[in-house]
Amino acid sequence: MLAPGKEPFDSLDLMSTAQLPNGAGDYGISAVHDEHHGKYRQPVQILYFTHHSTKYYWNDMIQNFEFYIGLEDVKVSCMSIHSDHSSGLSKTLQDYRRLFFGENEIAVRVPSLFKLLIKEVLNPFYIFQLFSVILWSAEDYYYYATAIVFMSVISIATSLYTIKKQYVMLHDMVATHSVVRVSVCRGNKEIEQAMSTDLVPGDVIIIPANGMVMPCDAVLIHGTCIVNESMLTGESVPVTKTSLPSSGEDAAWTYSTEEHKRHTLFCGTHVIQTRFYAGELVEAVVVRTGFSTEKGQLVRSILHPKPTDFKLYRDAYLFLLCLVGVAGIGFIYTIVLSIMKKVPAKTIIIESLDIITITVPPALPAAMTAGIVYAQRRLKRVGIFCISPQRINMCGQLNLVCFDKTGTLTEDGLDLWGVQTVEDGSFSPPEADAAEDSLVNSAFVACMATCHSLTKIEGELSGDPLDLKMFSATGWILEEPTDEETTLHNPIMPTVVRPPNQSIPEANQNNPLTQNMELNQLPSCEIGIVRQFPFSSTLQRMSVVVRRLGEKHMDAYLKGAPEVVASLCKQHTVPQSFTETLETYTKQGFRVIALAHRQLESKLSWHKVQSLSRDLLETNMEFLGLIIMQNKIKEETAGVLRELRQANIRTLMVTGDNMLTAISVARDCGMIRAHERVIIAEAAPPKDFHPASITWHYTENPVQTKDNQSVEINLEEGVYARQEQSYHFAVTGRAFAVITEHFPQLLQKLALRATVFARMAPDQKTQLVEVLQSIDYTVGMCGDGANDCGALKRAHCGISLSELEASVASPFTSSTANISCVPNLIREGRAALITSFCVFKFMALYSIIQYLSVTLLYSILSNLGDFQFLFIDIAIILIIAFTMSLNPAWKELVWRRPPSSLISGPLLFSVLTQIITCLLFQVLAFLLVRQQSWYETWTPQSE
């Protein structure tokens, strides 16, 4: 490739002493003029290759190939995105960058049937079958050859149809809204229409008010967006995206799509609507395009999955090599015997090659596949759908299953159990003041009504289920300004919440906040939400700035994890019993949310509020109290976990929720039994010349012990399940990250005895699966598709309880939204695995027995007749091989799992004893017949 520069973010004015800002200038692509010397700079040649939809470019500096992601490659700060990249690119600079990043499209090419035939279907087995058919045809053995051709054609056609259908489905899913027209800002402030395929990192696009499907990954620099990210996360709840900070400490950080997720619009997600103030356009800077986007990486992982490594398939090939070795001995024996008997050369060649087709059965692939096909049909009948049939056998070997908590072990929704407010520096009794008028008029309820990210879509409230439950409990009404109101009457008109004026909604008549109130007691006030800092999983909190109707000052409300909120409040406003009260609720399995309030200065204007940093706002708050939410365990959860434990299958919980809440749910559902103790492992990174450290403490005893306390951990495989356990480890995501980086030698030991992993990020869930696989666990993962995609793909057996697009990469999807699918899948996996072993042993024994028979007959220059071969191959072998796999799965999961290896003592002993027994009986019968008085030696008169 020829280009004016070596890297995509080089300035086109390469010979100029002054660097032009992003988007300035208009230069040719083929050559760059040097004004100082009056000559053209010749384009340079760049070497590259493409692998798995990614281009790798040669770098002379590092003497290696590298690939470009996007705007993150230049380590740009949030502030510089606003200052240097907000004006847009010139057309020439856009064309230059497209040389490196290519067209902005996620192209899933549907291969032709011929390519699929060559790539996917023609494996060594089918080639061997073709060889066998040609050989049999030369021997005039047309009957069995026709049967094998018939089976092979059906098998190949079925495979081609299935693979082609999957490619078409993936193509249709990706192609939907992938090419759209977008408004692009140019360096001279002009706006032009362009195709989304022309976009490159650095382009500035305008998000329309009525929304769009994002064609790239882009970071918001002006305005706010309500986005549905179900395509990537599986979560259908809309999320709010705000503009990237342009000032303060946050703006100095280097931009990263992972760290600044709440400011980034991801490719494939649906922007439902936008919010803007003072008539400003909602603008975003393109940071990634094509296969570098989040959606592109997901599609690439589906197109090019990591190969599954299963011992059965490795051993099957070794076993076949042994059969080939036996066939080789027979081949040599046949040639030597034929030469000694002076048999014609043509007969020697045909009979010698025939011994190979007898030893290695050509029908083996079809017979092995039959069990998986039958198991797949049985799974479909119980609502489990599979896109990777070969993994069904792996399910039979599962000895550990990881479960997400919310939506998997517990119900999706949360119920408001009660509230606990603060009075005179201490907690009031829970629910005691829930129906009092003083509470409804308080800052506590105002915080519940305003501190959320809810929005109205087609007249219906939409947003996080927790926010919906909290807001509906207040009985208040949310009103959003229309586009006409915002632009004509008041350019900064905010979203307003207010109590009902006339009646209490029927759905809220039993709420503790409204049940004993008279209609005339309802307060008549309106609160406008001026600014919103959306919830951040990293910060574990969200906040809003509001103004009450008729008041000059503004208020700030904060909602989040109790420990975080308490740390941001004035110490004297946090009750002394805070820790004990919080622990009481979390141990009972409740989800606890803390609220806080702060009155801002009266002279603070709207424009100052918009430039106010989050860190400055969320300080010196006043603690308001706690909201206690109840997350119920699904009815099927406890029974399924008990069944898995009885079957010697270890279970883990991997969740993003609070540690104590997760431990409580683990106890309630039986993952941790009543007599077993839990040790929480916490770790701190190095700080102020202090090295990283680990602390341990029992949940019943908050006194921590340093990491020099010895805990004996047995690394022997299977000890966990065979011995009675007296303790379990529980690890937070923060501790997991520290231990992974600073104490890697402890990671595997911890994974052997840990049962609860709380506050885990999505990538940490994937890391945990990899750690468990590294200590020889066959790992299953069960989640609802939200933030579990990576772990679902990486596990040996990923089961998604969500049927959304995010689950397209999960090998299994259950239409039943509870974990009862897990034992069903393991049972069918065991049935498929057992039948695979039985079929393999049966086919191997049949071929060896037939090999012995033919070898003995060759010694007297004889052979079986065509119809004898046909009867053996079809009537005896194929019928039994195919009907053997019809055996359904056993109704219970037993303690003992099927073997995982063909090369094992019991299995080899079984096969070898059968072979020896058959050999003895055949040789004995052969010799006895020859010794009979009526036996006459047969001398062939012709070939």
Side-chain angles (χ1 to χ4, degrees):
M1 178 178 79
L2 293 176
K6 290 187 176 182
E7 295 185 357
F9 294 99
D10 285 346
S11 171
L12 284 182
D13 191 9
L14 297 173
M15 295 298 171
S16 175
T17 56
Q19 283 287 335
L20 293 173
N22 189 1
D26 188 12
Y27 299 92
I29 296 298
S30 60
V32 179
H33 185 262
D34 182 358
E35 294 180 356
H36 300 286
H37 300 89
K39 59 185 179 182
Y40 285 94
R41 174 186 172 89
Q42 292 299 321
V44 294
Q45 187 174 29
I46 299 174
L47 302 175
Y48 73 93
F49 69 93
T50 304
H51 177 67
H52 286 178
S53 307
T54 302
K55 283 186 177 180
Y56 295 84
Y57 294 88
W58 177 257
N59 188 322
D60 289 328
M61 295 281 290
I62 61 174
Q63 288 292 296
N64 204 347
F65 285 94
E66 62 179 353
F67 62 92
Y68 300 115
I69 298 174
L71 205 58
E72 293 163 280
D73 292 331
V74 290
K75 308 293 182 187
V76 62
S77 68
C78 300
M79 189 183 301
S80 64
I81 286 181
H82 281 274
S83 60
D84 301 334
H85 297 271
S86 60
S87 58
L89 302 178
S90 67
K91 190 72 172 67
T92 306
L93 193 53
Q94 185 190 59
D95 292 339
Y96 169 64
R97 289 190 182 175
R98 199 179 302 116
L99 292 174
F100 294 89
F101 293 105
E103 297 288 325
N104 175 35
E105 60 177 348
I106 303 170
V108 178
R109 314 290 183 195
V110 179
S112 65
L113 288 175
F114 179 75
K115 285 186 177 179
L116 285 177
L117 184 68
I118 300 298
K119 180 182 176 183
E120 303 282 354
V121 176
L122 292 183
N123 57 46
F125 274 116
Y126 286 116
I127 295 172
F128 178 71
Q129 282 184 347
L130 179 63
F131 162 76
S132 302
V133 167
I134 294 171
L135 183 65
W136 293 332
S137 299
E139 295 182 281
D140 297 332
Y141 183 38
Y142 299 116
Y143 311 107
Y144 192 54
T146 305
I148 290 294
V149 168
F150 180 72
M151 286 190 299
S152 298
V153 168
I154 292 177
S155 177
I156 290 173
T158 305
S159 298
L160 282 176
Y161 173 77
T162 305
I163 296 168
K164 181 90 172 180
K165 185 179 177 183
Q166 288 177 354
Y167 269 107
V168 171
M169 286 175 61
L170 185 61
H171 175 270
D172 292 345
M173 184 197 82
V174 173
T176 306
H177 307 297
S178 62
V179 180
V180 294
R181 293 195 70 83
V182 291
S183 299
V184 182
C185 297
R186 292 301 175 203
N188 51 10
K189 300 297 183 182
E190 289 184 358
I191 297 175
E192 69 175 37
Q193 295 293 311
M195 299 304 296
S196 59
T197 51
D198 295 335
L199 295 176
V200 296
D203 271 327
V204 176
I205 61 174
I206 296 171
I207 313 296
N210 59 349
M212 66 184 295
V213 176
M214 289 299 297
C216 58
D217 288 355
V219 58
L220 269 177
I221 54 174
H222 292 119
T224 306
C225 292
I226 310 296
V227 186
N228 184 340
E229 293 188 325
S230 63
M231 206 293 297
L232 290 178
T233 65
E235 194 71 72
S236 58
V237 175
V239 294
T240 302
K241 303 283 185 173
T242 57
S243 59
L244 195 71
S246 59
S247 60
E249 292 182 7
D250 291 342
W253 287 88
T254 302
Y255 171 78
S256 163
T257 52
E258 185 63 35
E259 295 293 328
H260 298 88
K261 195 177 291 185
R262 63 183 184 274
H263 310 297
T264 306
L265 306 171
F266 293 104
C267 179
T269 60
H270 185 201
V271 179
I272 302 169
Q273 65 184 45
T274 61
R275 291 176 180 171
F276 55 92
Y277 301 104
E280 290 184 350
L281 294 172
V282 179
E283 296 179 345
V285 177
V286 177
V287 290
R288 292 182 179 182
T289 58
F291 277 98
S292 295
T293 62
E294 288 289 319
K295 181 181 177 181
Q297 291 176 27
L298 172 63
V299 173
R300 190 168 56 191
S301 68
I302 299 169
L303 286 174
H304 314 288
K306 189 172 182 179
T308 54
D309 184 22
F310 193 42
K311 208 170 183 181
L312 171 66
Y313 303 129
R314 296 201 310 268
D315 291 349
Y317 283 110
L318 288 174
F319 207 91
L320 285 174
L321 283 176
C322 294
L323 291 180
V324 171
V326 172
I329 296 172
F331 180 81
I332 296 170
Y333 165 77
T334 306
I335 291 176
V336 172
L337 183 67
S338 300
I339 293 172
M340 290 175 62
K341 299 283 186 177
K342 298 180 180 180
V343 176
K346 179 186 174 183
T347 306
I348 293 176
I349 295 170
I350 291 177
E351 298 298 338
S352 301
L353 292 174
D354 198 29
I355 204 78
I356 298 176
T357 65
I358 291 171
T359 312
V360 183
L364 183 60
M368 290 284 289
T369 306
I372 296 174
V373 172
Y374 296 146
Q376 192 173 4
R377 288 179 182 174
R378 291 194 293 266
L379 284 172
K380 193 174 181 180
R381 284 199 293 268
V382 294
I384 300 173
F385 302 95
C386 175
I387 63 170
S388 181
Q390 294 302 321
R391 295 208 183 208
I392 295 177
N393 276 335
M394 289 188 180
C395 298
Q397 274 295 309
L398 286 183
N399 53 4
L400 183 147
V401 184
C402 301
F403 292 97
D404 182 36
K405 184 180 79 70
T406 307
T408 304
L409 298 175
T410 62
E411 298 287 353
D412 276 315
L414 290 166
D415 295 321
L416 180 66
W417 183 84
V419 297
Q420 193 156 11
T421 56
V422 176
E423 290 184 2
D424 300 325
S426 61
F427 282 120
S428 62
E431 292 189 294
D433 296 330
E436 294 293 331
D437 184 34
S438 59
L439 175 60
V440 178
N441 283 313
S442 67
F444 188 92
V445 172
C447 183
M448 289 179 66
T450 58
C451 196
H452 53 71
S453 57
L454 300 178
T455 184
K456 274 196 171 181
I457 300 173
E458 297 180 355
E460 293 290 328
L461 272 180
S462 182
D464 187 272
L466 186 144
D467 288 345
L468 279 169
K469 188 67 68 174
M470 285 173 53
F471 184 78
S472 63
T474 65
W476 286 36
I477 297 169
L478 183 140
E479 296 177 347
E480 287 186 330
T482 62
D483 293 341
E484 292 78 9
E485 290 174 329
T486 305
T487 55
L488 298 177
H489 303 300
N490 190 349
I492 57 172
M493 188 172 181
T495 300
V496 173
V497 294
R498 60 175 177 82
N501 295 326
Q502 298 176 349
S503 62
I504 303 173
E506 184 180 345
N508 293 300
Q509 288 178 358
N510 296 323
N511 280 340
L513 301 177
T514 58
Q515 58 185 356
N516 293 336
M517 292 178 58
E518 299 294 335
L519 294 182
N520 56 11
Q521 288 181 300
L522 291 168
S524 57
C525 63
E526 291 185 358
I527 302 176
I529 303 173
V530 178
R531 191 175 181 197
Q532 180 188 99
F533 293 97
F535 177 79
S536 164
S537 57
T538 306
L539 301 175
Q540 299 179 26
R541 63 181 186 267
M542 77 163 294
S543 58
V544 291
V545 178
V546 304
R547 171 171 280 167
R548 193 181 289 264
L549 185 67
E551 293 186 358
K552 295 182 179 180
H553 69 270
M554 296 188 188
D555 295 278
Y557 289 111
L558 178 69
K559 174 188 75 176
E563 308 95 325
V564 175
V565 173
S567 68
L568 299 172
C569 291
K570 299 173 183 175
Q571 202 59 39
H572 70 274
T573 65
V574 181
Q576 293 183 349
S577 60
F578 169 78
T579 305
E580 293 80 5
T581 304
L582 177 62
E583 206 167 297
T584 301
Y585 288 127
T586 52
K587 280 184 177 179
Q588 296 178 53
F590 292 114
R591 183 167 182 182
V592 184
I593 307 295
L595 307 182
H597 164 256
R598 175 187 169 193
Q599 183 175 312
L600 303 179
E601 301 171 10
S602 57
K603 61 182 179 180
L604 210 59
S605 66
W606 179 87
H607 290 287
K608 286 186 178 180
V609 168
Q610 296 306 311
S611 60
L612 196 63
S613 71
R614 185 168 191 164
D615 291 336
L616 196 61
L617 179 74
E618 297 173 345
T619 53
N620 294 322
M621 309 289 286
E622 295 181 2
F623 194 80
L624 293 177
L626 303 173
I627 299 174
I628 301 102
M629 313 289 286
Q630 189 176 24
N631 193 198
K632 296 179 181 177
I633 296 174
K634 291 182 178 179
E635 293 180 4
E636 302 82 4
T637 297
V640 170
L641 293 179
R642 190 186 313 112
E643 185 179 3
L644 293 176
R645 185 172 63 248
Q646 290 170 351
N648 192 27
I649 297 172
R650 184 182 166 195
T651 54
L652 302 184
M653 182 190 296
V654 189
T655 177
D657 209 343
N658 175 275
M659 170 63 79
L660 294 177
T661 303
I663 292 173
S664 172
V665 170
R667 286 194 182 279
D668 291 344
C669 65
M671 196 174 283
I672 298 173
R673 285 174 280 184
H675 66 277
E676 296 171 335
R677 305 186 75 182
V678 178
I679 301 172
I680 297 179
E682 294 180 346
K687 187 179 181 182
D688 299 333
F689 304 106
H690 294 288
S693 61
I694 308 175
T695 53
W696 319 83
H697 67 86
Y698 287 104
T699 51
E700 297 81 5
N701 179 16
V703 179
Q704 295 185 343
T705 317
K706 286 294 181 186
D707 56 355
N708 55 11
Q709 176 180 345
S710 62
V711 177
E712 185 178 350
I713 300 174
N714 196 332
L715 286 175
E716 184 182 347
E717 183 182 359
V719 166
Y720 186 95
R722 290 199 298 269
Q723 296 179 349
E724 279 294 314
Q725 299 303 304
S726 58
Y727 68 89
H728 299 257
F729 282 126
V731 186
T732 62
R734 180 171 178 264
F736 182 82
V738 173
I739 293 171
T740 302
E741 184 176 357
H742 300 284
F743 303 95
Q745 73 279 5
L746 292 179
L747 194 58
Q748 292 187 347
K749 296 180 181 180
L750 199 62
L752 277 169
R753 298 294 290 269
T755 301
V756 175
F757 291 84
R759 297 292 190 204
M760 294 285 281
D763 59 328
Q764 289 179 323
K765 292 182 180 183
T766 308
Q767 290 173 27
L768 175 63
V769 169
E770 291 173 349
V771 169
L772 293 168
Q773 288 173 334
S774 70
I775 49 180
D776 289 336
Y777 276 112
T778 306
V779 182
M781 175 71 196
C782 183
D784 59 355
N787 302 323
D788 298 319
C789 289
L792 288 170
K793 286 185 291 184
R794 189 66 189 91
H796 291 109
C797 170
I799 316 161
S800 172
L801 303 185
S802 166
E803 295 185 56
L804 296 170
E805 289 174 327
S807 302
V808 73
S810 180
F812 301 94
T813 302
S814 172
S815 58
T816 306
N818 60 63
I819 65 171
S820 61
C821 60
V822 175
N824 286 334
L825 186 57
I826 296 174
R827 276 195 292 268
E828 291 298 341
R830 288 185 175 185
L833 187 59
I834 285 292
T835 53
S836 293
F837 274 108
C838 291
V839 167
F840 198 94
K841 288 166 62 177
F842 182 76
M843 296 295 284
L845 281 171
Y846 130 74
S847 62
I848 290 293
I849 292 168
Q850 196 175 58
Y851 165 80
L852 295 173
S853 302
V854 171
T855 303
L856 288 172
L857 290 173
Y858 275 8
S859 68
I860 58 170
L861 299 180
S862 183
N863 200 355
L864 296 172
D866 285 357
F867 282 99
Q868 289 176 313
F869 271 123
L870 193 65
F871 180 77
I872 294 170
D873 291 340
I874 293 181
I876 296 179
I877 303 307
L878 288 185
I879 291 176
I880 295 177
F882 281 96
T883 55
M884 185 188 295
S885 302
L886 287 171
N887 285 324
W890 181 241
K891 58 187 177 182
E892 295 177 6
L893 279 179
V894 296
W895 184 84
R896 190 165 183 168
R897 288 179 293 122
S900 61
S901 173
L902 281 168
I903 316 296
S904 62
L907 193 144
L908 288 176
F909 179 76
S910 169
V911 172
L912 289 174
T913 51
Q914 287 285 344
I915 291 172
I916 292 169
T917 302
C918 290
L919 176 63
L920 288 174
F921 271 89
Q922 286 200 46
V923 171
L924 183 63
F926 184 73
L927 294 176
L928 282 173
V929 167
R930 291 178 65 114
Q931 292 175 1
Q932 299 305 311
S933 58
W934 42 262
Y935 178 81
E936 293 182 8
T937 303
W938 176 73
T939 304
Q941 301 301 317
S942 66
E943 292 186 13

